[in-house]
Amino acid sequence: YGSPVWSVSFAPCGYYFASCGSDATLRIWTTDRSTPVRVLVGHTLSVNCVAWHPNCNYLVSGSDDGTVRMWDVQSGNCVRLF
């Protein structure tokens, strides 16, 4: 990250965690790597919050762009836009 991180959330199943910040991206990490395994792009302004679905297959993010997005963790695609 070259910009502030606003939120970090650990997956309920462990091993993975997600971060989001002022660069308008979400990043998925593992506890044993120092680089993200996936970068999720779609928001146009700062992403303020991130949360995991209980089954660990989805992330939900909220942004200053006024949207909430649901992401498929495996594909990295946005599957819902609210």
Side-chain angles (χ1 to χ4, degrees), residues 9-63:
S9 177
F10 274 88
C13 54
Y15 187 62
Y16 292 99
F17 63 98
S19 62
C20 63
S22 63
D23 67 352
T25 66
L26 290 91
R27 296 169 195 240
I28 300 173
W29 309 78
T30 61
T31 56
D32 61 354
R33 290 183 57 176
S34 62
T35 58
V37 294
R38 190 170 307 284
V39 178
L40 308 177
V41 177
H43 286 292
T44 58
L45 293 173
S46 180
V47 183
N48 301 308
C49 56
V50 59
W52 289 86
H53 187 279
N55 69 13
C56 297
N57 293 324
Y58 300 98
L59 283 168
V60 177
S61 58
S63 170

